[in-house]
Amino acid sequence: MQVIEQVEKVAAQSDVRKVLKLHMEVGEVSSVVPALFTDCFDWAKKKTKYLQQAQLEMVILEGISYCQDCKQTYKTTAYGKQCPHCGSQRTYLVTGNEVNIKDIEVV
């Protein structure tokens, strides 16, 4: 709902007739489940002024973590918090938890 509210607000401020497509970037370790988000978006857009016919396009961003000890990166979903290169737990997520509106196509 927050995404829809943000897009509706931008559309109203930009004096557009309707939103055709919403492009989003969603991290694979974010709290967004793409299939559920799409279902909710399709349901909620029917109650809007500008998004009723909009299509949703999502790009899934890979979860990548960085090890502070060996200075290497690795795929977060495969190894979690422990670095597969050196076994360290001193790691942090670099990408993969984003939820971004990349761009909006309008008329």
Side-chain angles (χ1 to χ4, degrees):
M1 293 306 295
Q2 290 178 355
V3 169
I4 286 178
E5 288 171 7
Q6 287 178 335
V7 174
E8 282 282 291
K9 183 178 179 181
V10 168
Q13 292 172 345
S14 302
D15 196 32
V16 301
R17 289 194 322 256
K18 64 181 174 179
V19 175
L20 300 175
K21 192 177 277 190
L22 174 62
H23 298 267
M24 294 190 62
E25 297 175 324
V26 177
E28 70 179 343
V29 294
S30 69
S31 59
V32 173
V33 178
L36 295 176
F37 188 91
T38 299
D39 288 346
C40 291
F41 178 83
D42 289 341
W43 173 82
K45 74 180 185 179
K46 295 173 188 173
K47 302 174 184 322
T48 67
K49 180 176 180 180
Y50 301 102
L51 285 152
Q52 289 190 10
Q53 298 172 353
Q55 294 178 328
L56 176 63
E57 183 178 290
M58 276 192 270
V59 174
I60 307 302
L61 302 176
E62 185 176 45
I64 300 293
S65 290
Y66 176 79
C67 177
Q68 297 177 61
D69 289 334
C70 72
K71 313 292 188 242
Q72 295 194 56
T73 60
Y74 64 91
K75 186 166 174 52
T76 307
T77 56
Y79 301 101
K81 182 118 175 94
Q82 185 170 353
C83 176
H85 305 289
C86 71
S88 173
Q89 294 280 327
R90 290 179 11 96
T91 63
Y92 61 87
L93 190 64
V94 177
T95 63
N97 66 343
E98 302 88 349
V99 179
N100 299 320
I101 297 172
K102 186 175 179 185
D103 60 50
I104 304 165
E105 293 180 32
V106 300
V107 289

